[in-house]
Amino acid sequence: MTSSRTDPLPGARATTAPPAAGAAGRAHRQVRGGRRRHRWDARFSPYAFIAPFFLFFAAFGLFPLLYTGWASLHRVSLHDPTHMEWVGLQNFSRLLEDDFFWNALRNTFTIGVLSTVPQLLMALGLAHLLNYKLRGSTFFRVAVLTPYATSVAAATLVFAMLFGRDYGMINWALGLVGIDHVDWENGTWTSQLAVSAIVVWRWTGYNALICLAAMQAVPHDLYESAALDGASRWQQFRHVTVPSLRPTILFTVVVSTIGATQLFGEPLLFGGSQTGGGSHQYQTLGLYLYEQGWFNFQLGRASAIAWAMLLILIAVGLLNWLIARRLGRTR
């Protein structure tokens, strides 16, 4: 009697799993691979998103910083920047004995004070006015930002004409009240006031919007409580608004100080010379760096000036941190 079942031939290999089991295994492997890719994506994709910033920072921020630090320890000429002669800290020691460096530092400080203090006071007042419900408030908020969006070259050239000695509108207005013409560019204080006026005009609106954003975050309950206690608008501003804006005011002071330390375009275009006037009366650290590197061809000394500016900014940052820490303790 023969059987209908066919036995496997000798030497043939039997299959261990049916086709359905193989498909299930492939599906399981696909699911497991998808989970692995998901874990890798969740773990590494944030780094991929922020990688362009660090790449650009390394190329255009970190590398120039390290290179200028290395160049500041050498004698380097603009004519042959690849040839460096080691001098150690000689470039920095020469700065301490250089009267022009101290003059530029003094001018930078003076222009910084003349531009920062009025700028921040005006910005605080403008922000207080814009904080009220006004008709066309959006228009006024955009209008105060217009000077910031204006080209520094265009703004400085216009102010240079306004402060002209013979045909400037400022001297024309002074003549109407019986004041003789002022030689704004060649005077020490007058030239610094003129350069400061350009800075004030360009940056007041920018700081005003920063203060406005901070004011809108102040709880209205504080103003209502002050009004119920009989406080006037001025008293509310002094005792409610200003104390609430201490961190913001400190931030604007630090940012304005950094901008004043790096001031370059306004004094350069105001007089059209890297010397900052015939007597260097408004030459800032930025202009002095430019003069040493691109007119005297001393890249090593220019790099030392750049690092001196960096150390000044670090000192400003540390002072900001100490003041912020002290204010945090007094709350």
Side-chain angles (χ1 to χ4, degrees):
M1 183 176 181
T2 60
S3 174
S4 61
R5 181 176 60 87
T6 58
D7 296 330
L9 297 176
R13 302 179 62 181
T15 58
T16 59
R26 287 194 299 271
H28 178 70
R29 287 193 297 271
Q30 291 176 357
V31 171
R32 187 169 56 185
R35 290 176 179 175
R36 187 183 301 112
R37 287 192 297 271
H38 176 73
R39 289 196 301 269
W40 289 352
D41 180 68
R43 179 179 300 178
F44 297 109
S45 59
Y47 298 99
F49 290 142
I50 64 176
F53 164 78
F54 288 101
L55 291 176
F56 279 98
F57 173 75
F60 301 103
L62 185 60
F63 173 74
L65 179 66
L66 297 178
Y67 180 80
T68 53
W70 180 250
S72 66
L73 304 176
H74 295 77
R75 182 179 291 110
V76 191
S77 175
L78 184 63
H79 297 296
D80 189 9
T82 59
H83 177 71
M84 294 186 177
E85 179 183 351
W86 176 266
V87 294
L89 298 177
Q90 181 179 348
N91 288 324
F92 292 95
S93 61
R94 289 186 62 181
L95 284 182
L96 298 178
E97 302 172 356
D98 190 353
D99 293 336
F100 291 107
F101 170 76
W102 292 108
N103 175 72
L105 180 61
R106 184 168 52 252
N107 292 340
T108 301
F109 176 79
T110 305
I111 295 175
V113 173
L114 292 176
S115 61
T116 300
V117 175
Q119 173 191 154
L120 296 182
L121 291 176
M122 293 171 61
L124 199 60
L126 283 174
H128 185 62
L129 293 176
L130 293 174
N131 196 31
Y132 290 113
K133 294 182 179 179
L134 302 174
R135 291 183 178 180
S137 58
T138 303
F139 168 77
F140 290 112
R141 293 172 185 178
V142 174
V144 298
L145 196 61
T146 303
Y148 172 72
T150 305
S151 169
V152 59
T156 305
L157 293 177
V158 170
F159 271 86
M161 291 188 292
L162 291 176
F163 285 101
R165 183 186 63 181
D166 298 323
Y167 303 103
M169 187 175 293
I170 304 297
N171 280 338
W172 172 79
L174 293 177
L176 295 179
V177 294
I179 300 177
D180 293 335
H181 286 186
V182 178
D183 192 355
W184 293 96
E185 183 181 347
N186 292 321
T188 300
W189 285 101
T190 55
S191 60
Q192 294 179 4
L193 281 172
V195 174
S196 301
I198 307 172
V199 180
V200 170
W201 182 81
R202 290 194 69 238
W203 290 96
T204 298
Y206 174 82
N207 289 311
L209 290 186
I210 294 178
C211 294
L212 176 62
M215 285 182 184
Q216 292 180 342
V218 178
H220 291 281
D221 298 341
L222 298 177
Y223 293 104
E224 293 177 358
S225 300
L228 291 176
D229 291 337
S232 62
R233 290 287 181 88
W234 171 246
Q235 292 174 333
Q236 293 178 25
F237 177 75
R238 286 181 54 194
H239 300 289
V240 177
T241 304
V242 174
S244 301
L245 296 185
R246 283 179 182 176
T248 304
I249 294 174
L250 184 60
F251 169 78
T252 54
V253 168
V254 173
V255 172
S256 300
T257 303
I258 293 174
T261 306
Q262 299 175 341
L263 197 62
F264 174 75
E266 289 85 348
L268 175 65
L269 296 173
F270 179 72
S273 172
Q274 79 283 355
T275 59
S279 302
H280 301 263
Q281 63 267 20
Y282 58 92
Q283 185 182 49
T284 60
L285 286 175
L287 278 183
Y288 185 60
L289 183 155
Y290 181 60
E291 180 185 22
Q292 291 299 316
W294 279 262
F295 285 86
N296 297 342
F297 310 112
Q298 298 294 331
L299 292 184
R301 297 192 64 185
S303 300
I305 298 170
W307 267 80
M309 296 170 63
L310 175 63
L311 294 177
I312 293 173
L313 294 180
I314 291 176
V316 171
L318 291 176
L319 182 62
N320 169 39
W321 176 75
L322 291 175
I323 295 176
R325 187 177 180 183
R326 186 179 183 88
L327 291 177
R329 289 179 177 178
T330 56
R331 287 186 178 182

